[in-house]
């Protein structure tokens, strides 16, 4: 394309060609529109198969060291500080030890924190 008849390799032509490519944000939007529904359907189908076997017994596990890595910056006047809002990551595993849902951060391993993670998962399992 750069060496076509009547087109030199001028900097203006190269700049025009480079600016014609979509940005990463535009490509992300295109991919999401093109494949979003397909991926969701495939994930749902795999998750249903996973629930049929692995949801016969549940194990809840908490990890403390990794949760401290999740920080947010809180601005206070002209200064700021780091805040670690979570002290635990909660995971729900099935019979074979595989995760049944993404690991979620929580304030701790108290029953209220576990129920917040477990309730939506159990409702999905019951639907299958």
């Amino acid at each position: 394309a750069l060496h076509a008849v009547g087109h030199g390799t001028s900097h203006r032509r190269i700049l025009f060609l480079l600016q014609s490519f979509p940005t990463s944000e535009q490509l992300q939007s295109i991919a999401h529109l093109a494949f979003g529904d397909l991926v969701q359907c495939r994930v749902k189908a795999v998750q249903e198969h996973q629930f049929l076997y692995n949801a016969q017994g549940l194990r809840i596990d908490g990890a403390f060291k990794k949760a401290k890595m999740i920080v947010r910056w809180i601005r206070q006047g002209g200064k700021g500080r780091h805040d670690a809002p979570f002290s635990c990551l909660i995971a729900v595993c099935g019979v074979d030890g595989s995760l049944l849902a993404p690991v979620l951060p929580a304030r701790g391993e108290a029953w209220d924190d576990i129920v917040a993670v477990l309730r939506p998962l159990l409702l999905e399992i019951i639907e299958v």
Side-chain angles (χ1 to χ4, degrees):
L2 291 177
H3 299 292
V5 178
H7 299 287
T9 56
S10 70
H11 295 295
R12 189 177 315 143
R13 178 76 178 146
I14 293 172
L15 183 61
F16 171 76
L17 289 172
L18 291 175
Q19 289 175 340
S20 298
F21 289 108
T23 65
S24 62
E25 291 83 14
Q26 291 168 330
L27 288 174
Q28 181 182 8
S29 178
I30 291 167
H32 181 72
L33 288 172
F35 301 111
D37 291 338
L38 173 67
V39 171
Q40 281 294 80
C41 289
R42 295 309 311 146
V43 166
K44 190 70 174 166
V46 169
Q47 190 177 42
E48 286 176 2
H49 288 289
Q50 175 81 337
F51 286 165
L52 287 174
Y53 171 71
N54 284 320
Q56 295 174 17
L58 301 178
R59 182 181 65 119
I60 298 172
D61 196 9
F64 297 98
K65 290 181 181 178
K66 298 290 183 189
K68 294 175 185 174
M69 295 171 64
I70 302 172
V71 295
R72 62 181 171 198
W73 182 256
I74 298 176
R75 204 174 285 276
Q76 295 174 330
K79 298 181 180 180
R81 66 179 176 87
H82 284 103
D83 178 44
F86 307 109
S87 64
C88 181
L89 296 176
I90 296 179
V92 180
C93 303
V95 172
D96 68 353
S98 63
L99 288 174
L100 295 178
V103 177
L104 295 173
R107 292 173 306 173
E109 258 189 314
W111 180 244
D112 291 339
D113 300 319
I114 293 171
V115 167
V117 173
L118 197 55
R119 179 173 280 130
L121 180 63
L122 288 176
L123 291 174
E124 280 188 67
I125 291 170
I126 289 169
E127 285 180 17
V128 173

